[in-house]
Amino acid sequence: MQPPKQPENPGQETQDNNDKGSWKDKFKTGFAKAFGREPDAGKTDVAPAPTADSSATPIAAVPPAADNRSWKEKFNQSAAFGTSPTQQTASATEAPAAAAASPQNHETGTADGEPQKANWKDKLKQTLTFNKDDTPATAQPPLAGEQPAAPKANWKERLRAGLSKTRSQLGTGVKILFRGRKIDEELYEELETVLLTADVGVEATTQLLEEIRTTVKRRNLDNAEELKTALQQSLTTLIQPLQQPLDISQHKPFIIMLAGVNGAGKTTSIGKLAKYFQSQGKSVLLAAGDTFRAAAREQLLAWGERNNVTVISQESGDSAAVIFDAINAARARGIDVVLADTAGRLPTQLHLMEEIKKVKRVIQKADPTGPHEVLVVLDANTGQNAVTQVKAFDDALGVTGLIVSKLDGTAKGGVIAAIAKQRPIPLRFIGVGEQLDDLRPFVAADYVEALFD
């Protein structure tokens, strides 16, 4: 007869019997284990089983002491994160005695240089720092060799950076050309090539070369390096008439109508103009008059939200009607400046040019003195084609000001000299970047300085 098979784990049966408690007991046990407490903490001590050497007299179970603590004290004990009830009670008993025996260190909050034991709230904050070493998160020092964030450059520095491509074509080319050479006809021919390559234009280049020849004869110059200063002075004199800041103090609301070909940057320029006028303490309202291009309305609404500016728009409708409503709304609200967007169009599309003439007539119905400024936005990347655009829009609308955008993305910045020679309309603003404040009033001396230095 085989002996009965013994269980592999003798304590398994006892454990199974202990697990047959109520769900409340199981929950209390699991809760205690989750917070690092002893699972048997708080239970009645059970006497050990009698052995052969022990007395036959059974040992009575020790009844648990009455727990008169409040629910807050019990919760604090449960949330002690690894501190057993015995340790917690001992700490509570020893803390007053330790505080009385040792003077308190007011600078570090410790007694006799020993750190105080953190309460459960501090441990909770420490746990939520998500550090692998379970230490409180602290500000990390900069890495070795790491430089702090550079302050934002001023306008002249940003202008110089934006004109880097044109400077490499014009300024650097002139500098190399004049280095260590004598003044002769070959030098003049090479200088003419450099100016034409930078899109200065034939007429402007001819004028600049004539002025340089005159300066050489008058001053008896023989060193080519002295021509650089003469060229800078002649170029500054040529484009100086374009420097006429926009004055918006004559009318309220001051109505600005923007036009240009597709992709020139009209809507983006409107957002930057809104920021510029706000920096001058003026209130601005935008009219989403480009009802033709897909997402043009949404783009202007985004600029309005970015600048905290009201935008008058319609889901669909006539461009002139939207601008008409915007002017009336601006007058009722006491707005200082109205920026009216229009759909992009090519100067060769005569029917579209007639449509933009209609927009101007409708504006004059809303305000007989308006529009007070007609701005044409030019993409500097188009080079000499920008001169053609200026002539076409000027003939159709009577352009009063220009905006040259995207100068930072082209080497054709010399087109401003071509405009100054062929159609000298005031250049109100130039754009050299994508930031909100990268559209600034045109200053001739700063522009020429950024091209050569």
Side-chain angles (χ1 to χ4, degrees):
M1 181 176 179
Q2 296 180 353
K5 186 177 181 180
Q6 298 295 330
E8 297 180 359
N9 189 354
Q12 182 67 35
E13 183 178 358
T14 305
Q15 179 68 26
D16 293 340
N17 293 334
N18 293 338
D19 289 343
K20 294 180 180 180
S22 65
W23 67 270
K24 291 185 178 180
D25 295 334
K26 294 181 180 180
F27 178 79
K28 291 179 180 179
T29 303
F31 186 83
K33 289 181 178 180
F35 288 94
R37 295 178 54 200
E38 296 296 334
D40 296 333
K43 291 186 177 181
T44 303
D45 294 332
V46 181
T51 60
D53 298 332
S54 61
S55 174
T57 304
I59 302 176
V62 180
D67 192 351
N68 297 324
R69 295 172 299 166
S70 65
W71 68 271
K72 290 185 177 180
E73 293 174 344
K74 295 179 181 179
F75 179 77
N76 290 339
Q77 175 182 335
S78 300
F81 296 103
T83 303
S84 63
T86 306
Q87 294 174 341
Q88 189 176 16
T89 305
S91 300
T93 306
E94 296 171 358
S102 302
Q104 182 75 13
N105 187 335
H106 296 282
E107 295 182 358
T108 61
T110 61
D112 289 340
E114 295 294 333
Q116 289 182 343
K117 198 173 187 63
N119 57 27
W120 72 272
K121 291 184 179 180
D122 296 333
K123 292 187 177 182
L124 177 61
K125 293 179 181 179
Q126 175 179 334
T127 304
L128 295 179
T129 55
F130 299 99
N131 288 337
K132 293 182 178 180
D133 55 355
D134 291 335
T135 56
T138 56
Q140 298 295 331
L143 299 176
E146 182 180 358
Q147 298 295 331
K152 193 171 185 178
N154 57 33
W155 169 243
K156 287 188 176 182
E157 293 175 349
R158 281 184 286 161
L159 177 62
R160 188 178 186 279
L163 295 177
S164 59
K165 293 185 178 180
T166 303
R167 182 173 59 256
S168 64
Q169 181 68 43
L170 179 59
T172 306
V174 168
K175 184 178 180 180
I176 296 174
L177 178 64
F178 290 165
R179 183 179 300 166
R181 295 188 58 176
K182 292 183 178 181
I183 301 176
D184 52 18
E185 286 300 321
E186 183 180 357
L187 178 64
Y188 287 130
E189 292 179 2
E190 294 182 10
L191 176 59
E192 180 181 10
T193 301
V194 172
L195 293 175
L196 292 175
T197 306
D199 268 321
V200 175
V202 176
E203 296 183 16
T205 299
T206 303
Q207 178 178 334
L208 291 173
L209 289 175
E210 290 177 354
E211 292 180 358
I212 290 175
R213 289 176 184 269
T214 302
T215 302
V216 170
K217 293 179 180 179
R218 186 175 63 250
R219 299 181 183 178
N220 295 323
L221 302 178
D222 58 357
N223 188 352
E225 294 184 359
E226 298 175 348
L227 289 182
K228 179 182 177 182
T229 303
L231 178 59
Q232 286 183 262
Q233 294 175 351
S234 299
L235 184 57
T236 303
T237 303
L238 176 61
I239 66 176
Q240 184 66 42
L242 303 184
Q243 180 181 324
Q244 298 181 30
L246 180 60
D247 182 15
I248 63 173
S249 61
Q250 301 300 321
H251 303 277
K252 186 176 180 178
F254 192 90
I255 305 170
I256 301 177
M257 175 182 175
L258 286 92
V261 302
N262 307 75
K266 295 185 303 300
T267 306
T268 301
S269 297
I270 286 178
K272 295 180 179 180
L273 282 175
K275 180 65 175 181
Y276 171 77
F277 289 127
Q278 282 183 322
S279 67
Q280 305 296 318
K282 304 296 182 180
S283 56
V284 183
L285 184 141
L286 307 182
D290 187 355
T291 58
F292 179 78
R293 179 171 64 90
R297 169 178 168 270
E298 287 75 12
Q299 182 182 0
L300 198 62
L301 288 172
W303 277 109
E305 181 179 357
R306 187 175 180 181
N307 293 320
N308 195 22
V309 173
T310 302
V311 179
I312 303 299
S313 64
Q314 295 179 3
E315 291 290 342
S316 61
D318 183 65
S319 174
V322 175
I323 298 175
F324 184 87
D325 294 341
I327 294 173
N328 291 330
R331 185 182 295 110
R333 302 177 187 182
I335 300 295
D336 296 319
V337 181
V338 176
L339 298 174
D341 191 13
T342 59
R345 64 204 70 226
L346 295 175
T348 56
Q349 297 173 323
L350 300 180
H351 65 289
L352 294 180
M353 297 302 290
E354 290 297 326
E355 182 181 284
I356 200 170
K357 291 180 182 179
K358 171 191 172 183
V359 173
K360 183 178 180 181
R361 292 194 299 268
V362 172
I363 292 176
Q364 291 173 341
K365 290 183 179 180
D367 188 337
T369 63
H372 307 115
E373 183 79 7
V374 178
L375 291 176
V376 170
V377 181
L378 304 171
D379 183 352
N381 291 280
T382 58
Q384 287 297 304
N385 189 37
V387 180
T388 304
Q389 297 175 25
V390 171
K391 293 179 179 179
F393 281 102
D394 188 26
D395 295 340
L397 300 173
V399 177
T400 58
L402 303 175
I403 296 177
V404 177
S405 64
K406 307 179 185 180
L407 279 168
D408 57 317
T410 180
K412 302 178 180 181
V415 69
I416 293 178
I419 295 173
K421 180 60 180 177
Q422 300 183 44
R423 192 63 67 100
I425 297 176
L427 179 55
R428 305 297 192 185
F429 299 91
I430 58 175
V432 293
E434 299 180 356
Q435 301 299 322
L436 269 175
D437 55 351
D438 283 337
L439 187 73
R440 295 290 186 90
F442 172 70
V443 180
D446 293 346
Y447 185 82
V448 175
E449 181 182 352
L451 283 179
F452 288 92
D453 294 340

